[in-house]
Amino acid sequence: MILEGIYAPVPTPFDLKSGDISHSAMEDNIRRWAVTSLNGLVICGSNGELPFISVSERAELTRTAKLALEKSGVDKKIITGTFMHSTRETIDCSVRAADAGADAVLILPPHYFKAAGMSGAKKFFEETANSSPIPIVLYNMPGNTGVNLDAETVIELSRHPNIIGVKDTSGDMTQMCRIANECGENFSVFCGSGNYLLPSLAVGASGGTLAVANLYPESAARLLKACMESDMPRARALQYRLMLASDALTRKFGVPGLKASMDRAGLYGGPCRSPLSDLGDDEKHRLFDALDSTGLDEYESWRHIC
Amino acid sequence: MILEGIYAPVPTPFDLKSGDISHSAMEDNIRRWAVTSLNGLVICGSNGELPFISVSERAELTRTAKLALEKSGVDKKIITGTFMHSTRETIDCSVRAADAGADAVLILPPHYFKAAGMSGAKKFFEETANSSPIPIVLYNMPGNTGVNLDAETVIELSRHPNIIGVKDTSGDMTQMCRIANECGENFSVFCGSGNYLLPSLAVGASGGTLAVANLYPESAARLLKACMESDMPRARALQYRLMLASDALTRKFGVPGLKASMDRAGLYGGPCRSPLSDLGDDEKHRLFDALDSTGLDEYESWRHIC
Amino acid sequence: MILEGIYAPVPTPFDLKSGDISHSAMEDNIRRWAVTSLNGLVICGSNGELPFISVSERAELTRTAKLALEKSGVDKKIITGTFMHSTRETIDCSVRAADAGADAVLILPPHYFKAAGMSGAKKFFEETANSSPIPIVLYNMPGNTGVNLDAETVIELSRHPNIIGVKDTSGDMTQMCRIANECGENFSVFCGSGNYLLPSLAVGASGGTLAVANLYPESAARLLKACMESDMPRARALQYRLMLASDALTRKFGVPGLKASMDRAGLYGGPCRSPLSDLGDDEKHRLFDALDSTGLDEYESWRHIC
Amino acid sequence: MILEGIYAPVPTPFDLKSGDISHSAMEDNIRRWAVTSLNGLVICGSNGELPFISVSERAELTRTAKLALEKSGVDKKIITGTFMHSTRETIDCSVRAADAGADAVLILPPHYFKAAGMSGAKKFFEETANSSPIPIVLYNMPGNTGVNLDAETVIELSRHPNIIGVKDTSGDMTQMCRIANECGENFSVFCGSGNYLLPSLAVGASGGTLAVANLYPESAARLLKACMESDMPRARALQYRLMLASDALTRKFGVPGLKASMDRAGLYGGPCRSPLSDLGDDEKHRLFDALDSTGLDEYESWRHIC
């Protein structure tokens, strides 16, 4: 499996009353995304409220996504977030995700005991990679974990045959440049945010998994295409607009903002699990104004197909 | 319930082969601590490898501890760590801990989605306190979570009748001083590290839950007594020695260090769960030398009682 | 020279029109402080707007302070802040401060080039100590410099015969405890903030240089006395009130707050140098209310002596 | 004046014996750089050991550089670093730099008193811009100052007619993208490090002032040209090699590394001012190996012209 193109880290839909997962909403959303240019979906990433979803729920979500894609008859990859704090639970979760149809798993480094450091991360990923039936994508997300998975460690881990890439959300271009050039050809670097997709591609990333791609997959795909075609002026102009949408969605309003925007766009966003709080009306207005000002909706005609 | 005195945050003993919890080792350890001056035990705190222990395991550990204390015929409190990332799982875990015999629960603030901030923390603790059958102790542990539960938030939360105290491991004396003086009489401040027990007592803490108290409960109790009796020179001398032991155990060598030291002292330490790694021989020597140099063993004669 | 008791880091008075130093205001202020329990004054510390004061101005301020103390016929020490970013300018400034009558100099670690680290700090302090005609007090102020002068480095530097102490404003009790116990008898630890004077004394500090002591020297001296007499309940109550005043003055409103409070108390505060801005009316009200609520004015009768 | 192309932040040459500035070495170095593609020189930036250089020395260095460029008969801009901690000294330094021939001044935000924040930064830059005879380039360097000059503040300041650009060394692509797109046409964004020149250009920077350009000006100019010509594969390959050189020079070995490399390349590097320390032999070998491995020397034939 090669990581490339644009992936969406899809939110987990919860039933308004019970707070349980709504598999019908999940299926509906995926049917909608099936017609887009997205190359894959990430289930239970940070935007999928990963830490609030149990091991069983993650497997069930994966199964639902797999079936929905099959029904739609499209070829898109599924990557499932299977991080648990202990190695044994992470392996268990990865096995169950594989069984449910995931193509790969996305795994954070250990981060509660900060002293474990990079040697703890190596141990954790190597033990997991040895036991996971499907490939591992490293997930560097220092804004949430407080731990940066450094270039040296990623390069070492890239030699493991069952570790195929990294999603890097550090925004550190030096690190991304080094990783993209010093890992082998079978290892891919994915940008973790629409805020800096073009800079990441410029230093060697092969694509990205972007919260903003849940709503603007065609915009992200156009940016990627402009970059591949070396049309820098066009890529630069798209990046600015994508950054505005991405920054509003993720840095300012987080998962609740993404869900509110999906509700407005005719997808199912629904509520977050507590302790996250849904946006108030005032926040929604500010978010929607920020999104509308980007003018990117013109590229997203798929939203009108129901 | 009033928090006071010295508590030990006990490690979780794992079977060497299976990696499952060893309830017999837990029982043996607790029988040993029963004869000490400890006022209580914390089950599944950070030193109990909290994030690696499932909800069911936490309840079972609590039940084992409760029974062991009853068998020993001593009156010591049990506080169980029940933090899960979602409110619903935290409540579920708290209900099960209560059912298993815990006197109170110890709960971290939400910390994966940093943007939730103090308003997310308030929502989380209030919803949990409304539903927990037993009182809540707030657990401020910024070194592990990357989130500081600030004084204003703690003071607001202290007004909830089911929130009875805070274990503060920030080391921030301004914050601790403000909390100790501005929360009501029914709210207690507990120091979270033997590194600064005396300074904490000096600004109003009523005791502490200290990793070092697993091995040096009498030393900690002596320090507390010296402070209560206003014998500052004695308290100061004890604090320096306790800091040396505490700093070696927790800041330098973490849970693996605590477990290795327990093995040496005739308690059951055993292995950590991966991704934590047990200490190597060289690290053990350095740790044991540091502990021996404190000279505190003279106060810990209970260790010779089997 | 032995560091002990309470020192005030005095603000630098500027002429309202020219922005130059007002030596007459400096002299008046010092005449007022002469009757207090203060053991010494720090000229050109952070509260003296150190980085805005030229080498010549620092020497002149020292000379004015020395003469004013002599006129008042009291025995109080003068410590002058002589940090410049290069070693050669720091030595030059220290020589001139000594010539102007300072008893010691207070010096920050190098901090612009963070990579220099603790080995850069050692080199800097040792070269300076070798050339300074008067003793050096290390000045650890990570909140302003972004660099923590760690315990190991302080302990090594304490062996230099011309380095006599450290003013520690890290608030890190572990570090202060280690330094206070592992440096020799001729080396003193001074607390750098009224926010945690009592905790610092509890781990071995011999006093402090406290912004709050510009206005509340008797309150600070009473706390010190209560601690020396092992009257913990009294010390604890005083610490809370002193923390409230200190926190409002320094953490919330900074040097502009200290100067506004001095103006109100009949001392000369005057304007700050740009880019610092003087407080607005609303900020002044909040600050003065916070100070008044401490009730500490009752101990400060010296303010009525003109 | 429009900021564009590649600038070198030149080191300040000191006499080996006296530690004073060696104006003849400065002149020799500039004569060498005169034949390169560099568009300008920065005098007394961070690599010029800014905080160790007095106001008079900065003016003299500027004068020497101006004369050397005139003698060489080439048209390159001079920007002088004139930050002092107080506004009044910064203005004084800027006036003297202008008088000595600088085309613009480069100024850090205030950073000792962190509480001054962005409102302090605005006040500082506006007062300085009102009084400086030549334009101001904002200098965002959070790694050294601990303060990030945020996008909102830069955008507001960009409206001042005497503020013409920003050198951003934060590495934050979101921030750079926003600034490059939301400031007017007369305001330029300069990348502050060779580690991420291409990503910066990709989001709208017009060039950069790069430590690595002291040794590899032609390599940087080639990267810039490849990007302008939308030759992304070539730009990407050059960026990786430039990053390796830049990272070794600045992040790993700092100013001492830059000076050692200049000595080796036949320019005058010479000693640093204390507390910086010159590299040891082992460090030099590691640095030189890292530089040689980039293969960029092939583009730098100007080094053979004496």
Side-chain angles (χ1 to χ4, degrees), chain A residues 40-70:
Chain A
L41 305 177
V42 175
I43 313 293
C44 295
S46 294
N47 285 286
E49 296 175 56
L50 163 76
F52 306 157
I53 315 295
S54 73
V55 169
S56 308
E57 287 175 326
R58 296 186 203 182
E60 292 158 14
L61 278 164
T62 303
R63 189 161 283 117
T64 298
K66 181 73 176 177
L67 288 172
L69 285 178
E70 283 174 0

mmCIF file of all heavy atoms in Angstrom, chain A residues 40-70:
data_model
loop_
_atom_site.group_PDB
_atom_site.id
_atom_site.type_symbol
_atom_site.label_atom_id
_atom_site.label_comp_id
_atom_site.label_asym_id
_atom_site.label_seq_id
_atom_site.Cartn_x
_atom_site.Cartn_y
_atom_site.Cartn_z
ATOM 1 N N GLY A 40 -8.903 8.341 0.102
ATOM 2 C CA GLY A 40 -9.124 7.465 1.242
ATOM 3 C C GLY A 40 -9.782 8.189 2.401
ATOM 4 O O GLY A 40 -9.951 9.419 2.383
ATOM 5 N N LEU A 41 -10.162 7.411 3.394
ATOM 6 C CA LEU A 41 -10.791 7.932 4.601
ATOM 7 C C LEU A 41 -10.004 7.458 5.820
ATOM 8 O O LEU A 41 -9.527 6.328 5.840
ATOM 9 C CB LEU A 41 -12.231 7.416 4.726
ATOM 10 C CG LEU A 41 -13.172 7.658 3.533
ATOM 11 C CD1 LEU A 41 -14.534 7.003 3.799
ATOM 12 C CD2 LEU A 41 -13.344 9.161 3.263
ATOM 13 N N VAL A 42 -9.882 8.337 6.790
ATOM 14 C CA VAL A 42 -9.314 7.943 8.077
ATOM 15 C C VAL A 42 -10.448 7.862 9.087
ATOM 16 O O VAL A 42 -11.164 8.847 9.309
ATOM 17 C CB VAL A 42 -8.239 8.941 8.552
ATOM 18 C CG1 VAL A 42 -7.761 8.578 9.956
ATOM 19 C CG2 VAL A 42 -7.067 8.957 7.578
ATOM 20 N N ILE A 43 -10.631 6.709 9.665
ATOM 21 C CA ILE A 43 -11.651 6.469 10.691
ATOM 22 C C ILE A 43 -10.985 6.590 12.057
ATOM 23 O O ILE A 43 -9.921 5.998 12.267
ATOM 24 C CB ILE A 43 -12.223 5.032 10.555
ATOM 25 C CG1 ILE A 43 -12.581 4.710 9.105
ATOM 26 C CG2 ILE A 43 -13.393 4.808 11.498
ATOM 27 C CD1 ILE A 43 -13.710 5.498 8.545
ATOM 28 N N CYS A 44 -11.613 7.328 12.964
ATOM 29 C CA CYS A 44 -11.067 7.460 14.329
ATOM 30 C C CYS A 44 -9.674 8.086 14.364
ATOM 31 O O CYS A 44 -8.791 7.627 15.109
ATOM 32 C CB CYS A 44 -11.062 6.126 15.064
ATOM 33 S SG CYS A 44 -12.718 5.506 15.354
ATOM 34 N N GLY A 45 -9.475 9.113 13.566
ATOM 35 C CA GLY A 45 -8.361 10.020 13.798
ATOM 36 C C GLY A 45 -8.791 11.030 14.848
ATOM 37 O O GLY A 45 -9.840 10.873 15.485
ATOM 38 N N SER A 46 -7.996 12.100 15.028
ATOM 39 C CA SER A 46 -8.364 13.109 16.023
ATOM 40 C C SER A 46 -9.729 13.697 15.710
ATOM 41 O O SER A 46 -10.547 13.913 16.613
ATOM 42 C CB SER A 46 -7.310 14.217 16.059
ATOM 43 O OG SER A 46 -6.092 13.683 16.527
ATOM 44 N N ASN A 47 -10.024 13.959 14.422
ATOM 45 C CA ASN A 47 -11.330 14.502 14.076
ATOM 46 C C ASN A 47 -12.439 13.473 14.226
ATOM 47 O O ASN A 47 -13.610 13.821 14.218
ATOM 48 C CB ASN A 47 -11.309 15.068 12.652
ATOM 49 C CG ASN A 47 -10.578 16.389 12.629
ATOM 50 O OD1 ASN A 47 -11.107 17.390 13.086
ATOM 51 N ND2 ASN A 47 -9.340 16.388 12.144
ATOM 52 N N GLY A 48 -12.080 12.223 14.379
ATOM 53 C CA GLY A 48 -13.052 11.175 14.670
ATOM 54 C C GLY A 48 -13.200 10.968 16.173
ATOM 55 O O GLY A 48 -13.777 9.976 16.606
ATOM 56 N N GLU A 49 -12.668 11.917 16.949
ATOM 57 C CA GLU A 49 -12.769 11.866 18.427
ATOM 58 C C GLU A 49 -12.173 10.579 18.999
ATOM 59 O O GLU A 49 -12.660 10.021 19.994
ATOM 60 C CB GLU A 49 -14.233 12.077 18.877
ATOM 61 C CG GLU A 49 -14.753 13.462 18.496
ATOM 62 C CD GLU A 49 -16.228 13.717 18.798
ATOM 63 O OE1 GLU A 49 -16.634 13.552 19.966
ATOM 64 O OE2 GLU A 49 -16.954 14.099 17.856
ATOM 65 N N LEU A 50 -11.080 10.172 18.374
ATOM 66 C CA LEU A 50 -10.335 8.972 18.744
ATOM 67 C C LEU A 50 -10.355 8.591 20.219
ATOM 68 O O LEU A 50 -10.704 7.450 20.567
ATOM 69 C CB LEU A 50 -8.889 9.163 18.259
ATOM 70 C CG LEU A 50 -7.784 8.286 18.804
ATOM 71 C CD1 LEU A 50 -7.850 6.903 18.181
ATOM 72 C CD2 LEU A 50 -6.427 8.905 18.496
ATOM 73 N N PRO A 51 -9.985 9.493 21.141
ATOM 74 C CA PRO A 51 -9.854 9.019 22.525
ATOM 75 C C PRO A 51 -11.190 8.698 23.180
ATOM 76 O O PRO A 51 -11.200 8.109 24.258
ATOM 77 C CB PRO A 51 -9.157 10.187 23.241
ATOM 78 C CG PRO A 51 -9.303 11.360 22.351
ATOM 79 C CD PRO A 51 -9.553 10.884 20.966
ATOM 80 N N PHE A 52 -12.298 9.096 22.538
ATOM 81 C CA PHE A 52 -13.617 8.846 23.137
ATOM 82 C C PHE A 52 -14.271 7.573 22.583
ATOM 83 O O PHE A 52 -15.398 7.249 22.950
ATOM 84 C CB PHE A 52 -14.576 10.013 22.844
ATOM 85 C CG PHE A 52 -14.066 11.367 23.241
ATOM 86 C CD1 PHE A 52 -14.573 12.522 22.633
ATOM 87 C CD2 PHE A 52 -13.107 11.522 24.226
ATOM 88 C CE1 PHE A 52 -14.118 13.774 22.987
ATOM 89 C CE2 PHE A 52 -12.641 12.778 24.589
ATOM 90 C CZ PHE A 52 -13.153 13.912 23.965
ATOM 91 N N ILE A 53 -13.596 6.886 21.678
ATOM 92 C CA ILE A 53 -14.217 5.762 20.967
ATOM 93 C C ILE A 53 -13.573 4.467 21.444
ATOM 94 O O ILE A 53 -12.352 4.317 21.379
ATOM 95 C CB ILE A 53 -14.012 5.912 19.437
ATOM 96 C CG1 ILE A 53 -14.294 7.345 18.963
ATOM 97 C CG2 ILE A 53 -14.862 4.898 18.674
ATOM 98 C CD1 ILE A 53 -15.707 7.800 19.115
ATOM 99 N N SER A 54 -14.394 3.538 21.877
ATOM 100 C CA SER A 54 -13.851 2.280 22.412
ATOM 101 C C SER A 54 -13.311 1.397 21.292
ATOM 102 O O SER A 54 -13.570 1.634 20.113
ATOM 103 C CB SER A 54 -14.951 1.527 23.176
ATOM 104 O OG SER A 54 -15.869 0.989 22.246
ATOM 105 N N VAL A 55 -12.576 0.388 21.696
ATOM 106 C CA VAL A 55 -11.994 -0.543 20.733
ATOM 107 C C VAL A 55 -13.087 -1.198 19.877
ATOM 108 O O VAL A 55 -12.971 -1.285 18.652
ATOM 109 C CB VAL A 55 -11.144 -1.608 21.466
ATOM 110 C CG1 VAL A 55 -10.757 -2.743 20.531
ATOM 111 C CG2 VAL A 55 -9.894 -0.958 22.075
ATOM 112 N N SER A 56 -14.163 -1.630 20.506
ATOM 113 C CA SER A 56 -15.254 -2.257 19.750
ATOM 114 C C SER A 56 -15.866 -1.270 18.770
ATOM 115 O O SER A 56 -16.148 -1.609 17.612
ATOM 116 C CB SER A 56 -16.365 -2.721 20.698
ATOM 117 O OG SER A 56 -15.836 -3.500 21.714
ATOM 118 N N GLU A 57 -16.106 -0.061 19.236
ATOM 119 C CA GLU A 57 -16.717 0.937 18.360
ATOM 120 C C GLU A 57 -15.837 1.228 17.142
ATOM 121 O O GLU A 57 -16.333 1.456 16.044
ATOM 122 C CB GLU A 57 -16.966 2.232 19.139
ATOM 123 C CG GLU A 57 -18.118 2.144 20.139
ATOM 124 C CD GLU A 57 -18.271 3.403 20.988
ATOM 125 O OE1 GLU A 57 -17.225 4.047 21.311
ATOM 126 O OE2 GLU A 57 -19.408 3.762 21.339
ATOM 127 N N ARG A 58 -14.512 1.242 17.365
ATOM 128 C CA ARG A 58 -13.615 1.517 16.239
ATOM 129 C C ARG A 58 -13.722 0.433 15.171
ATOM 130 O O ARG A 58 -13.718 0.715 13.974
ATOM 131 C CB ARG A 58 -12.165 1.633 16.731
ATOM 132 C CG ARG A 58 -11.960 2.813 17.673
ATOM 133 C CD ARG A 58 -10.493 2.997 18.019
ATOM 134 N NE ARG A 58 -10.360 3.736 19.292
ATOM 135 C CZ ARG A 58 -9.216 4.086 19.840
ATOM 136 N NH1 ARG A 58 -8.065 3.782 19.240
ATOM 137 N NH2 ARG A 58 -9.185 4.747 20.986
ATOM 138 N N ALA A 59 -13.817 -0.814 15.629
ATOM 139 C CA ALA A 59 -13.950 -1.913 14.676
ATOM 140 C C ALA A 59 -15.282 -1.822 13.928
ATOM 141 O O ALA A 59 -15.349 -1.979 12.704
ATOM 142 C CB ALA A 59 -13.834 -3.252 15.405
ATOM 143 N N GLU A 60 -16.336 -1.501 14.655
ATOM 144 C CA GLU A 60 -17.656 -1.410 14.012
ATOM 145 C C GLU A 60 -17.694 -0.259 12.997
ATOM 146 O O GLU A 60 -18.272 -0.399 11.912
ATOM 147 C CB GLU A 60 -18.742 -1.199 15.077
ATOM 148 C CG GLU A 60 -18.947 -2.421 15.973
ATOM 149 C CD GLU A 60 -19.585 -2.045 17.318
ATOM 150 O OE1 GLU A 60 -20.106 -0.917 17.435
ATOM 151 O OE2 GLU A 60 -19.551 -2.886 18.240
ATOM 152 N N LEU A 61 -17.110 0.863 13.345
ATOM 153 C CA LEU A 61 -17.063 2.000 12.416
ATOM 154 C C LEU A 61 -16.312 1.623 11.145
ATOM 155 O O LEU A 61 -16.703 2.001 10.035
ATOM 156 C CB LEU A 61 -16.371 3.202 13.070
ATOM 157 C CG LEU A 61 -17.239 4.053 13.993
ATOM 158 C CD1 LEU A 61 -16.359 4.943 14.872
ATOM 159 C CD2 LEU A 61 -18.201 4.915 13.172
ATOM 160 N N THR A 62 -15.238 0.892 11.320
ATOM 161 C CA THR A 62 -14.441 0.459 10.172
ATOM 162 C C THR A 62 -15.270 -0.446 9.268
ATOM 163 O O THR A 62 -15.274 -0.298 8.038
ATOM 164 C CB THR A 62 -13.185 -0.298 10.665
ATOM 165 O OG1 THR A 62 -12.455 0.554 11.549
ATOM 166 C CG2 THR A 62 -12.303 -0.714 9.497
ATOM 167 N N ARG A 63 -15.994 -1.366 9.883
ATOM 168 C CA ARG A 63 -16.820 -2.301 9.111
ATOM 169 C C ARG A 63 -17.895 -1.546 8.323
ATOM 170 O O ARG A 63 -18.101 -1.796 7.126
ATOM 171 C CB ARG A 63 -17.437 -3.332 10.063
ATOM 172 C CG ARG A 63 -18.142 -4.478 9.357
ATOM 173 C CD ARG A 63 -18.320 -5.672 10.302
ATOM 174 N NE ARG A 63 -17.094 -6.435 10.490
ATOM 175 C CZ ARG A 63 -16.441 -6.600 11.644
ATOM 176 N NH1 ARG A 63 -16.921 -6.053 12.750
ATOM 177 N NH2 ARG A 63 -15.323 -7.305 11.694
ATOM 178 N N THR A 64 -18.545 -0.617 8.992
ATOM 179 C CA THR A 64 -19.573 0.189 8.320
ATOM 180 C C THR A 64 -18.992 0.962 7.137
ATOM 181 O O THR A 64 -19.586 1.029 6.059
ATOM 182 C CB THR A 64 -20.198 1.183 9.322
ATOM 183 O OG1 THR A 64 -20.818 0.429 10.358
ATOM 184 C CG2 THR A 64 -21.216 2.084 8.650
ATOM 185 N N ALA A 65 -17.814 1.548 7.355
ATOM 186 C CA ALA A 65 -17.188 2.329 6.278
ATOM 187 C C ALA A 65 -16.829 1.436 5.103
ATOM 188 O O ALA A 65 -17.061 1.785 3.937
ATOM 189 C CB ALA A 65 -15.940 3.040 6.817
ATOM 190 N N LYS A 66 -16.281 0.273 5.415
ATOM 191 C CA LYS A 66 -15.867 -0.666 4.372
ATOM 192 C C LYS A 66 -17.067 -1.081 3.515
ATOM 193 O O LYS A 66 -17.016 -1.048 2.266
ATOM 194 C CB LYS A 66 -15.249 -1.897 5.051
ATOM 195 C CG LYS A 66 -14.738 -2.957 4.114
ATOM 196 C CD LYS A 66 -13.459 -2.514 3.441
ATOM 197 C CE LYS A 66 -12.880 -3.616 2.563
ATOM 198 N NZ LYS A 66 -11.683 -3.158 1.858
ATOM 199 N N LEU A 67 -18.165 -1.435 4.191
ATOM 200 C CA LEU A 67 -19.366 -1.854 3.468
ATOM 201 C C LEU A 67 -19.931 -0.717 2.625
ATOM 202 O O LEU A 67 -20.349 -0.913 1.480
ATOM 203 C CB LEU A 67 -20.422 -2.350 4.466
ATOM 204 C CG LEU A 67 -20.110 -3.700 5.110
ATOM 205 C CD1 LEU A 67 -21.116 -4.011 6.226
ATOM 206 C CD2 LEU A 67 -20.134 -4.809 4.041
ATOM 207 N N ALA A 68 -19.928 0.487 3.178
ATOM 208 C CA ALA A 68 -20.489 1.623 2.451
ATOM 209 C C ALA A 68 -19.677 1.910 1.196
ATOM 210 O O ALA A 68 -20.224 2.230 0.140
ATOM 211 C CB ALA A 68 -20.526 2.856 3.360
ATOM 212 N N LEU A 69 -18.364 1.777 1.303
ATOM 213 C CA LEU A 69 -17.525 1.993 0.117
ATOM 214 C C LEU A 69 -17.776 0.905 -0.924
ATOM 215 O O LEU A 69 -17.857 1.180 -2.120
ATOM 216 C CB LEU A 69 -16.041 2.018 0.508
ATOM 217 C CG LEU A 69 -15.559 3.299 1.210
ATOM 218 C CD1 LEU A 69 -14.085 3.180 1.579
ATOM 219 C CD2 LEU A 69 -15.778 4.542 0.328
ATOM 220 N N GLU A 70 -17.904 -0.319 -0.442
ATOM 221 C CA GLU A 70 -18.158 -1.424 -1.378
ATOM 222 C C GLU A 70 -19.484 -1.229 -2.106
ATOM 223 O O GLU A 70 -19.573 -1.405 -3.319
ATOM 224 C CB GLU A 70 -18.149 -2.761 -0.629
ATOM 225 C CG GLU A 70 -16.729 -3.232 -0.304
ATOM 226 C CD GLU A 70 -16.693 -4.483 0.572
ATOM 227 O OE1 GLU A 70 -17.794 -4.989 0.939
ATOM 228 O OE2 GLU A 70 -15.585 -4.948 0.902
#
